Each structure stands twice: as C-alpha cells, then as structure tokens.
C-alpha cells in the first residue's frame, strides 16, 4: 500500500493533417463564423494512416521519455478510447507491445469524453492498492473514423489525437499528486450521444448534451475540489473536456476560479478529441511552460454515457 501516486510526465501526439472551418465549408452548408460562434473551434487534426494505437503509442513514448523511467519500469497500461475499431487485442496491449513493456496489466476504458479521468483514477487506485508500481495512462481517439463528414451538426466538432501520463507512487512522506476522483453518470440521458452499430457514426442531440453540461456539471467540479481539500480560487488551471467554449465558460463562471487561473481551450486548434482532449490540453500547457511543477490543476471530463469524472492533480 502507498499514500498515493503522482504524474511524473505527460506527452501528446496529433496528426499533421489540418482541416479548417473553411475546408468544411467547401462541402457543407456552414461557415467559419457559424462554427466559431457555436462551438469555438477553428480547426482540427485528422489522421490519415495513423490508428488509435499508433497515436496512443506516440504520445506514450514522449511521456515515458520525459518521465525518467523505461519500459521495464511500467507494469500497468490503461487506454481510454471510444473510437478503436479493432476490439481485440485491445489498444493497451498493442501499445505495450510496441513500447516493449513486458507482461503489464493492460486494458481499455470506454466512458467516451470522460475516459481519461476514469483511467487516471483507476491507475491511481491500482498504485495505492499495491497492484502497480508505475502506470501508463493514455487517452487516444480517431474520431474521424466514425464521423459522418456530410452531417454538419457533428462534422464540425471532432478531431484526432492522443495524450498520455506516466504515474508513479509518491515517495514516503510526500503528499499524493492525484486527488480523489469524483465520477458518475446520468445513464437515463445516454441516448443523447451515441456510437451504435457495426459501422457507426457519432450521433448527438446537441441541445440535450449542452443543457446537461451547462446545468448539471459545475457542482461536480466543485465537489472534486472539496474532496482534494483545495478551494477553486487556489487552482492554477482548469483543464476541462474540450467540447464547446460556451460549455467551458458556463462551468468556469460557477467555479469561482482566480482571475489568474489558466483555462484550457485547446479545442480552438484541436476540436473535440473525446478521451484525448484533457491529457492533450494538459500536456501542451506543461510543454509550453505555462504551469510550474507542483501547480494544482483541476481535470474534468464529461460526455457520452452521459458520464463525468474529475480530479485535482499536481503538475509534474
């Protein structure tokens, strides 16, 4: 047993192909102003040859390299995704094989857009319980595979990418770097966002999801801070799921953040990348040097299911 875990390092990957709002307007009845006003997205990255496992591996390689650990140190791999086309072997074992990780516990988590926070909590719990020493936690999505590019209500939203974190037990006497998780779901509203069938496209009741996100979620985000023993005003940053700027702004308004707190809005350049959105945005903030080591950050994912999860973490 250990007192908790911490994030040693982050890494991320995005494919090189960029699709702008103007690109979409050439085939859809939409335009740049409409998309920016409604959801805040300017462009998104779309994978061509890369699979979910490819992007997950690339992000994990960067995180592992920055962590000071090697593949031999990792004994647990968790991948959060809802877009992997190949069901078995799962993405986690594919990543482990490519990185040369020997005999790890390896499984995928599917809670859609809240997936990374679910996976992060599961990795933290495994380390706390003594079932793991060092864990690799990844959010990776190739939503372009399941997006109907002729449907303007969904085609303007989604992108591809991956983000990864390396977790390790905290040294004796040090406080935990990952706070208690608050997670849950509203399953009676699950039909509002779904990926169903053998050749699925994402289907979404945008208004229903928007109402749920803007009215129901802020109290859960506040509860995350309470469980971590920190006031929202003490947070250095808020990294929510990158779904919609109006949703993010609505939650921020009720949180009571400090005026100096950073609010991640990576969706402007990345779109909605579901389970990858939180680690992708956090990894970029860290890479740019915008968050000092030890800074408290609120992570909060929400989406299909309808599910939500969040925790306060300390930056590596």
């Amino acid at each position: 047993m250990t007192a908790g875990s911490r994030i040693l390092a982050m890494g991320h990957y995005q494919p090189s192909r960029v699709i702008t709002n103007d690109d979409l307007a050439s085939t859809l009845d939409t335009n740049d102003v409409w998309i920016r006003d409604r959801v805040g997205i300017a462009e998104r990255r779309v994978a061509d040859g890369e699979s979910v496992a490819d992007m997950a591996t690339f992000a994990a390689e960067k995180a592992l390299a920055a962590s000071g650990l090697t593949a031999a140190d990792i004994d647990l791999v968790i991948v959060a995704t809802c877009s992997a086309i190949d069901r078995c072997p799962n993405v986690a074992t594919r990543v482990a094989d490519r990185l040369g990780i020997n005999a790890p516990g390896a499984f995928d988590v599917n809670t859609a857009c809240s997936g990374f926070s679910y996976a992060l909590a599961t990795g933290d719990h495994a380390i706390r319980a003594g079932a793991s020493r060092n864990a690799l936690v990844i959010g990776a999505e190739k939503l372009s595979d399941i997006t109907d590019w002729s449907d303007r209500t969904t085609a303007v939203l989604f992108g591809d990418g991956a983000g990864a974190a390396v977790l390790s037990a905290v040294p004796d006497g040090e406080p935990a770097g990952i706070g208690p998780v608050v997670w849950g779901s509203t399953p009676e509203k699950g039909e509002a966002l779904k990926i169903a069938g053998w050749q699925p496209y994402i289907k979404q009741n945008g208004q229903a999801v928007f109402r749920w996100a803007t009215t129901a979620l802020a109290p859960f985000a506040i509860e995350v801070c309470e469980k971590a023993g920190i006031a929202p005003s003490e947070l250095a940053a808020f990294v929510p799921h990158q779904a919609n700027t109006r949703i993010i702004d609505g939650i921020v308004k009720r949180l009571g953040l400090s005026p100096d707190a950073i609010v991640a809005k990576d969706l402007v350049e990345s779109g909605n990348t579901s389970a990858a959105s939180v680690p992708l945005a956090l990894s970029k903030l860290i890479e740019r040097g915008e968050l000092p080591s030890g800074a408290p950050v609120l992570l909060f994912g929400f989406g299909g299911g309808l599910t939500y999860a969040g925790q306060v973490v300390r930056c590596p």
Side-chain angles (χ1 to χ4, degrees), residues 14 17-24 32 35-36 40-46 156-159 266-272:
Q14 290 181 281
R17 183 183 171 200
V18 176
I19 294 183
T20 66
N21 292 343
D22 288 335
D23 292 333
L24 293 176
D32 179 63
I35 298 170
R36 287 176 184 264
I41 296 169
E43 59 186 39
R44 67 287 296 148
R45 300 292 187 95
V46 172
V156 303
L157 300 177
F158 300 109
D266 182 55
L267 80 169
V268 175
E269 63 181 39
S270 300
N272 178 342

Side-chain angles (χ1 to χ4, degrees), residues 33 89 140 189 236 248 264 267 278 285:
V33 173
K189 297 182 184 293
I248 293 173
L267 80 169
V278 168
L285 289 175

Side-chain angles (χ1 to χ4, degrees), residues 4 42 48 65 79 97 107 128 136-137 152 160 185 201 203 215-216 266-267 289 291 293 298:
D48 289 319
V79 176
D97 178 52
F107 57 92
R128 285 175 180 268
L136 186 56
V137 178
R152 76 166 187 169
D160 302 333
S185 63
Y201 284 136
K203 300 293 183 183
T215 60
D266 182 55
L267 80 169
L291 292 172
S293 177
L298 171 60

Side-chain angles (χ1 to χ4, degrees), residues 228-253:
I230 189 169
S233 60
E234 297 176 277
L235 293 169
F238 175 44
V239 183
H241 168 49
Q242 302 292 293
N244 182 309
T245 51
R246 292 189 295 162
I247 290 174
I248 293 173
D249 291 343
I251 296 174
V252 167
K253 187 176 181 180

Side-chain angles (χ1 to χ4, degrees), residues 194-218:
K194 60 183 180 179
I195 306 168
W198 287 105
Q199 294 179 311
Y201 284 136
I202 300 170
K203 300 293 183 183
Q204 177 175 269
N205 181 335
Q207 286 301 314
V209 174
F210 183 84
R211 285 194 298 270
W212 172 75
T214 53
T215 60
L217 295 180

Side-chain angles (χ1 to χ4, degrees), residues 70-115:
T70 68
D73 298 312
I74 303 298
D75 54 22
L76 177 63
V77 181
I78 308 173
V79 176
T81 186
C82 65
S83 58
I85 301 301
D86 298 321
R87 293 169 173 79
C88 185
N90 62 25
V91 179
T93 55
R94 294 170 192 263
V95 172
D97 178 52
R98 295 178 189 189
L99 294 180
I101 300 171
N102 184 44
F107 57 92
D108 295 353
V109 171
N110 178 6
T111 60
C113 307
S114 65

